[in-house]
Amino acid sequence: MKRILVLISGNGSNLQAILDACQEGRVAGEVVAVVSNKGEAYGLTRARAAGCATEVLEAAGFADRAEYDAALGDLVEGYRPDLIVMAGFMRILSPAFIARFHGRMLNIHPSLLPKFQGLHTHRRAIEAGESEHGASVHFVTEELDGGPVVLQARVPIFEGDTEAEVAARVQVQEHAIYPLVVSWFCMGRLVMMQDKALMDGEPLGPAGYADE
């Protein structure tokens, strides 16, 4: 069983999807700890309800990002994780932190990467007149939202859609694809080598598994 540590900042709905998948035996791993940079994050309540260890490490009191990330890295390392899952962790991690856990970090981003890196993706997709949108699970590298994509899910954008409607549609897909990718990693099917995602030993295309 692989040891999974999840980083959160808020509600933790993707965390819940992963917790459920572990409990149901769909992931050959267990969430050993959930770490948040915000003490009020509801995801901590979800973690405690599932019997997971929880930690809060807020940025206040640290001189800079490097100091915070060094402390966060020490905290994470103490749980000996095989995989670190970012599930709505709203901090940009330093290159030193990412290098420390290279190849062991996954993130989910609410867009069809490389489109709409950064924030406010749903609004930007609507304003750009896109007919489809989605979510991407990717390995974390030093480039923000730029690591190799593992799996994407697509949803339509209909005329007159609000940002909230698109966000809800995307989130349903996030809850499906994130646990699946975590399961692939825990099974040993998914790895990152030389900044490329490999599935069953074969490099994945720009849109990840099942790339058209």
Side-chain angles (χ1 to χ4, degrees):
M1 297 284 282
K2 297 295 186 183
R3 298 173 62 83
I4 303 165
L5 184 141
V6 184
L7 298 176
I8 65 168
S9 294
N11 181 52
S13 67
N14 275 306
L15 164 65
Q16 189 66 62
I18 292 167
L19 289 170
D20 291 346
C22 290
Q23 183 178 22
E24 294 163 8
R26 291 183 284 121
V27 171
E30 63 172 334
V31 177
V32 295
V34 174
V35 179
S36 177
N37 66 318
K38 295 184 180 296
E40 70 276 13
Y42 182 69
L44 295 169
T45 301
R46 297 179 187 270
R48 292 172 188 136
C52 297
T54 59
E55 302 274 4
V56 176
L57 190 67
E58 297 186 342
F62 291 93
D64 53 28
R65 182 160 65 111
E67 187 177 291
Y68 176 88
D69 280 11
L72 179 63
D74 290 343
L75 177 61
V76 168
E77 194 71 73
Y79 284 97
R80 298 179 289 107
D82 299 297
L83 175 65
I84 299 165
V85 174
M86 296 177 65
F89 188 64
M90 301 304 290
R91 284 185 61 87
I92 297 174
L93 293 166
S94 64
F97 184 95
I98 293 168
R100 187 171 181 176
F101 301 103
H102 182 76
R104 290 189 282 156
M105 296 180 64
L106 291 171
N107 183 47
I108 191 162
H109 184 73
S111 81
L112 297 173
L113 292 172
K115 290 184 177 181
F116 309 116
Q117 295 169 314
L119 301 175
H120 310 301
T121 62
H122 311 307
R123 181 193 315 165
R124 290 159 61 199
I126 293 170
E127 290 175 348
E130 298 285 332
S131 62
E132 65 176 6
H133 191 43
S136 305
V137 181
H138 64 96
F139 279 105
V140 177
T141 63
E142 292 183 17
E143 182 184 354
L144 180 64
D145 300 326
V149 171
V150 178
L151 185 63
Q152 292 184 327
R154 299 170 183 268
V155 301
I157 297 179
F158 300 113
E159 185 176 352
D161 266 346
T162 65
E163 186 176 348
E165 287 170 334
V166 174
R169 203 172 294 140
V170 169
Q171 193 172 69
V172 170
Q173 297 303 317
E174 289 182 2
H175 296 167
I177 66 173
Y178 214 177
L180 180 58
V181 172
V182 170
S183 74
W184 290 343
F185 186 95
C186 290
M187 292 168 64
R189 298 183 62 193
L190 173 68
V191 298
M192 185 172 77
M193 294 182 62
Q194 298 178 339
D195 286 337
K196 292 184 178 180
L198 276 68
M199 184 72 168
D200 298 328
E202 296 295 327
L204 297 177
Y209 188 72
D211 186 356
E212 294 179 354

